[in-house]
Amino acid sequence: MWTSLSNLDFQYFDILLNSNRRHLDKLENQIAQENDPKQKAQLQADYDHLKKYQYFDFKKVFTNSLIIALLHCFGAVALSASAGYVFAKIDFKGKKFFFTLAILVILIPKQALILPLFEWINFIGLSNSHAGIVLPGALNAIGLLFFTQIWKQVPNDMLDICRLEGASELRTFIHALPLISSALLSFALLDFIMSWNEHLLPLIVLQSPDKQTLPLALSQLMGASLGEPLAVIMAGATFTILPTLILFALLYRRIKSSLADLHLH
């Protein structure tokens, strides 16, 4: 591993981190030295265009992606785990109908729902905001099905002990969470990876360059009119996979344990 790291040319990472400044600084110097009004106006137009569309603040978009992924992950785990608990441990009218509906939702491609989802986000005033990306995926059908099966593995007798002590259903749920800690961490990692790499929803929701995510910024860099060295694009792609790679390495044993305990009924 260390041999591979020593062979990396870190100048490309430096170029990526400063890609939004180097070309702009060069244009600024040309504008300051240019005496021809027409040529100066053209350079200024190029400068404004590059600043607005072509290059990005890597640290900013990386932070945006990290915040969105963490909030999305936390919301999805909290809501999916609680919804799965309800479906697995509490009987209520229409339970089978809603569970079947959740299965049907999985079969519908996200692309088919993107237009009504975009209209709904605009209607509630979350367009061009990070909340417009976090909120729609906070509760997903896959998480509901996953935690429903996980909670079915927890013996009812262990939950009845809390109830006999006078604990409410919410308190019983909270006390039972350590029993499925591996499943919580596993789903958190999976949801983090999906939200970190999400491209379609941020593409239609986020319009401001300072709010865009890393996948959007990299695709924008790839399409820059002046072009960037391919190695810079690869450096950006490496930065993109680093958070998920580190989390997977840390949580691998928990994921393996969780998937081994998952039995579909």
Side-chain angles (χ1 to χ4, degrees):
M1 177 179 179
W2 292 112
T3 304
S4 300
L5 288 176
S6 64
N7 292 330
L8 287 175
D9 192 344
F10 287 97
Q11 66 169 319
Y12 294 119
F13 291 94
D14 178 63
I15 294 173
L16 176 70
L17 290 173
N18 298 284
S19 62
N20 66 314
R21 288 303 324 163
R22 298 196 175 186
H23 291 281
L24 296 178
D25 290 342
K26 182 179 179 180
L27 282 174
E28 284 180 348
N29 292 332
Q30 291 178 353
I31 292 172
Q33 298 172 5
E34 184 60 51
N35 296 322
D36 186 0
K38 290 185 178 180
Q39 186 64 24
K40 191 170 186 176
Q42 181 61 45
L43 290 173
Q44 185 63 47
D46 292 341
Y47 176 88
D48 294 338
H49 179 75
L50 289 176
K51 187 174 182 180
K52 185 174 182 180
Y53 295 108
Q54 299 298 333
Y55 301 106
F56 63 92
D57 186 343
F58 179 84
K59 296 176 183 177
K60 177 66 174 178
V61 298
F62 187 90
T63 303
N64 289 342
S65 289
L66 188 62
I67 292 174
I68 290 173
L70 289 175
L71 291 177
H72 191 284
C73 173
F74 178 79
V77 170
L79 292 178
S80 298
S82 56
Y85 176 85
V86 171
F87 275 93
K89 298 301 182 181
I90 299 177
D91 291 325
F92 58 92
K93 188 175 181 180
K95 177 178 177 179
K96 292 184 178 180
F97 169 77
F98 288 112
F99 193 77
T100 304
L101 185 63
I103 297 177
L104 294 177
V105 169
I106 298 178
L107 303 178
I108 303 176
K110 181 185 295 185
Q111 292 80 358
L113 301 174
I114 203 66
L115 181 58
L117 182 60
F118 176 70
E119 294 178 346
W120 175 69
I121 292 174
N122 278 333
F123 178 76
I124 61 177
L126 294 181
S127 180
N128 196 32
S129 69
H130 292 164
I133 301 175
V134 175
L135 184 60
L139 177 60
N140 58 73
I142 296 178
L144 173 62
L145 296 180
F146 177 78
F147 280 108
T148 298
Q149 303 306 325
I150 290 295
W151 280 115
K152 285 182 179 180
Q153 308 303 313
V154 178
N156 290 329
D157 294 342
M158 302 185 70
L159 303 179
D160 290 337
I161 294 175
C162 290
R163 295 179 181 130
L164 289 174
E165 292 293 330
S168 64
E169 203 63 47
L170 176 60
R171 191 173 180 183
T172 300
F173 165 75
I174 294 174
H175 280 293
L177 286 177
L179 300 175
I180 61 166
S181 58
S182 294
L184 292 172
L185 290 174
S186 300
F187 184 76
L189 176 61
L190 295 176
D191 187 83
F192 180 88
I193 293 174
M194 289 188 291
S195 58
W196 177 265
N197 295 305
E198 178 65 40
H199 183 271
L200 181 60
L201 190 58
L203 181 64
I204 67 166
V205 173
L206 302 177
Q207 290 86 39
S208 300
D210 61 327
K211 293 184 178 181
Q212 64 183 350
T213 58
L214 188 54
L216 286 181
L218 284 177
S219 63
Q220 178 177 295
L221 184 63
M222 189 68 178
S225 60
L226 296 182
E228 280 285 354
L230 185 59
V232 176
I233 308 298
M234 293 300 101
T238 303
F239 266 117
T240 303
I241 67 172
L242 277 179
T244 56
L245 187 63
I246 293 172
L247 287 176
F248 183 81
L250 293 175
L251 302 178
Y252 171 72
R253 292 186 178 181
R254 290 295 190 101
I255 296 173
K256 186 178 179 180
S257 173
S258 174
L259 294 179
D261 294 339
L262 179 61
H263 305 288
L264 298 177
H265 294 283

